[in-house]
């Protein structure tokens, strides 16, 4: 009942707050103007993160979590949202944003949230020791930026984040982890209310302030949900966040192969490629939702599987990722080794 209550309260709160934030955005000039990399044709509010953060804080006030981890999560959420807000107004250099993200992730580590060990098959345990600190920071920063990169179409990052949170929340129910379930519920509700105005044609965007906020919280939640994990369960958060990770990873590979800086923005992300293939804006978003949901279901099956079953699922997922990359031309339109192999088999 608490889960449903938190979802409903945060959903109604964000649903009511969003129109007000949209009006304020135009008054203060907090809008995203169209350019050659943008899909939208007119200025749109970029204060979506304000709505999500307010709904999150209200939900936490109502839920009253007692776990000590809530302190770095709330502090980090406020700071990362402010960092994104500054970036939305003045367009910070990539290195400045990265340093800011590392500092904010360090707050989480300072409060004791770290990836400490991995348990391998046959009872072998690997302790990370001091390396748990950089690994934890790297994970949080990676997830933060992955969500930010996928925020390219109306409602895209909002929906993908909601699917990821629903998956983490479902596994939290299985684990009987009330704290993570509570946080996921609040954010899911906030995203549902916000999506009413964020889906195509969007009246408000998440902005960097919203995308970074969601990425940060999801990164920390995935750490808390799979802390002291086994080798197989190491793949859970990666699979849950497969869509943003695929987009981020292959964007870096693509830029490296083209001799461009890996942090340089381009118009060849997954959603751009699907638009080029002829899908409409809403169709592209819904298709990526479906892909995200597919990977989320796979992660739950993986969680419930035996070791050998998990290995088979991971292999199938790797093949699926490669097919997505080749079909969309995410690296290069000519990069189709697996598709070419399949075509040669069919011709025989």
């Amino acid at each position: 009942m608490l889960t449903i209550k938190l979802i409903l309260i945060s959903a109604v709160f964000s649903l009511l707050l969003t129109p007000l934030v949209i009006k304020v955005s135009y008054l203060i000039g907090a809008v995203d103007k169209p350019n050659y990399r943008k899909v939208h044709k007119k200025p749109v509010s970029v204060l979506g993160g304000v709505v999500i953060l307010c709904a999150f804080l209200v939900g936490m006030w109502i839920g009253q979590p007692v776990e000590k981890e809530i302190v770095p999560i709330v502090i980090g959420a406020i700071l990362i949202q402010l960092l994104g807000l500054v970036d939305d107004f003045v367009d910070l250099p990539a290195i400045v944003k990265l340093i800011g993200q590392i500092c904010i992730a360090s707050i989480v580590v300072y409060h004791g949230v770290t990836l400490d060990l991995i348990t391998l098959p046959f009872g072998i345990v690997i302790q990370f020791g001091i390396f748990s600190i950089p690994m934890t920071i790297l994970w949080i920063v990676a997830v933060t930026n992955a969500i930010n990169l996928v925020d390219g179409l109306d409602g895209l990052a909002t929906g993908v984040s909601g699917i990821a949170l629903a998956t983490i929340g479902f596994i939290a129910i299985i684990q009987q982890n009330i704290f993570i379930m509570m946080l996921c519920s609040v954010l899911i509700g906030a995203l549902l209310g916000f999506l009413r105005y964020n889906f195509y044609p969007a009246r408000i965007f998440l902005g960097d302030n919203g995308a970074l906020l969601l990425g940060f919280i999801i990164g920390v939640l995935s750490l808390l949900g799979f802390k002291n994990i086994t080798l197989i369960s190491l793949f859970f958060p990666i699979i849950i966040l497969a869509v943003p990770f695929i987009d981020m990873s292959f964007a870096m590979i693509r830029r490296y192969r083209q001799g461009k800086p890996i942090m340089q923005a381009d118009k060849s992300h997954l959603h751009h490629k699907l638009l080029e293939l002829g899908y409409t804006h809403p169709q592209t978003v819904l298709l990526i939702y479906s892909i995200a949901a597919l990977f989320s279901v796979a992660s739950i099956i993986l969680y419930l599987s035996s070791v050998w079953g998990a290995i088979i699922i991971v292999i199938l997922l790797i093949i699926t990722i490669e097919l997505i990359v080749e079909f969309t031309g995410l690296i290069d339109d000519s990069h189709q080794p697996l598709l070419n192999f399949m075509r040669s088999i069919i011709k025989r």
Side-chain angles (χ1 to χ4, degrees):
M1 287 301 294
L2 176 62
T3 299
I4 298 175
K5 176 183 176 182
L6 289 174
I7 290 175
L8 289 176
I9 290 175
S10 56
V12 171
F13 182 85
S14 65
L15 188 64
L16 296 176
L17 180 62
T18 304
L20 177 61
V21 171
I22 293 173
K23 291 180 180 179
V24 172
S25 299
Y26 286 101
L27 289 175
I28 65 176
V31 294
D32 187 14
K33 297 178 181 179
N35 63 34
Y36 78 99
R37 288 190 60 248
K38 307 293 177 63
V39 178
H40 59 286
K41 304 301 181 183
K42 61 181 181 179
V44 179
S45 167
V46 293
L47 294 185
V50 174
V51 176
I52 304 302
L53 179 61
C54 290
F56 173 69
L57 294 177
V58 168
M60 290 299 95
W61 176 70
I62 293 172
Q64 293 291 310
V66 297
E67 289 78 2
K68 64 179 182 179
E69 289 85 359
I70 191 61
V71 174
I73 292 176
V74 170
I75 294 174
I78 294 172
L79 292 177
I80 201 82
Q81 201 272 341
L82 289 175
L83 176 66
L85 201 58
V86 173
D87 185 45
D88 284 324
F89 276 97
V90 301
D91 196 16
L92 294 172
I95 187 64
V96 174
K97 288 190 289 185
L98 179 60
I99 293 172
Q101 292 166 16
I102 291 173
C103 292
I104 294 168
S106 298
I107 295 173
V108 177
V109 173
Y110 176 78
H111 282 81
V113 179
T114 55
L115 180 61
D116 299 322
L117 59 87
I118 287 182
T119 303
L120 303 178
F122 311 111
I124 301 173
V125 178
I126 297 179
Q127 296 278 355
F128 290 127
I130 193 171
F131 292 105
S132 65
I133 295 176
M135 288 188 66
T136 302
I137 293 174
L138 177 63
W139 173 258
I140 295 174
V141 171
V143 175
T144 299
N145 284 285
I147 297 296
N148 194 30
L149 281 177
V150 83
D151 184 28
L153 293 180
D154 298 359
L156 183 55
T158 302
V160 169
S161 297
I163 292 169
L165 287 164
T167 310
I168 295 171
F170 183 82
I171 294 177
I173 293 174
I174 297 175
Q175 296 176 334
Q176 297 184 332
N177 191 325
I178 305 300
F179 177 58
I180 293 179
M181 187 172 60
M182 181 189 300
L183 267 65
C184 288
S185 299
V186 170
L187 284 170
I188 289 170
L191 292 176
L192 286 174
F194 176 73
L195 193 59
R196 162 67 178 78
Y197 299 94
N198 183 232
F199 198 76
Y200 183 83
R203 293 175 56 192
I204 183 171
F205 293 155
L206 281 172
D208 275 3
N209 65 100
L212 293 179
L213 170 66
L214 286 173
F216 170 79
I217 296 179
I218 292 174
V220 177
L221 286 181
S222 60
L223 273 179
L224 291 173
F226 306 106
K227 193 176 180 181
N228 297 338
I229 53 182
T230 64
L231 178 64
I232 296 300
S233 63
L234 176 63
F235 292 100
F236 296 155
I238 296 175
I239 295 172
I240 291 170
L241 296 164
V243 168
F245 269 129
I246 290 171
D247 208 12
M248 180 179 70
S249 301
F250 287 98
M252 295 171 68
I253 294 172
R254 178 179 63 250
R255 292 162 189 166
Y256 175 78
R257 288 179 50 150
Q258 295 174 351
K260 300 178 180 178
I262 62 173
M263 298 300 291
Q264 178 179 308
D266 59 26
K267 204 170 182 179
S268 298
H269 289 287
L270 179 60
H271 52 277
H272 293 129
K273 289 296 186 178
L274 289 173
L275 288 172
E276 288 177 8
L277 288 171
Y279 294 98
T280 65
H281 192 131
Q283 287 174 339
T284 297
V285 173
L286 293 175
L287 180 57
I288 296 177
Y289 282 1
S290 301
I291 296 172
L294 172 67
F295 280 105
S296 289
V297 171
S299 69
I300 293 173
I301 297 173
L302 178 64
Y303 181 82
L304 300 172
S305 299
S306 63
V307 173
W308 284 109
I311 291 173
I312 293 172
I313 291 172
V314 169
I315 292 172
L316 291 174
L317 288 174
I318 292 173
I319 294 173
T320 302
I321 291 171
E322 178 61 21
L323 288 173
I324 291 172
V325 170
E326 293 184 19
F327 176 74
T328 59
L330 205 52
I331 292 181
D332 187 272
D333 291 336
S334 62
H335 176 79
Q336 296 186 338
L338 186 55
L339 285 176
N340 289 334
F341 174 75
M342 293 173 67
R343 292 186 188 111
S344 65
I345 295 296
I346 293 173
K347 289 180 180 179
R348 293 177 185 177

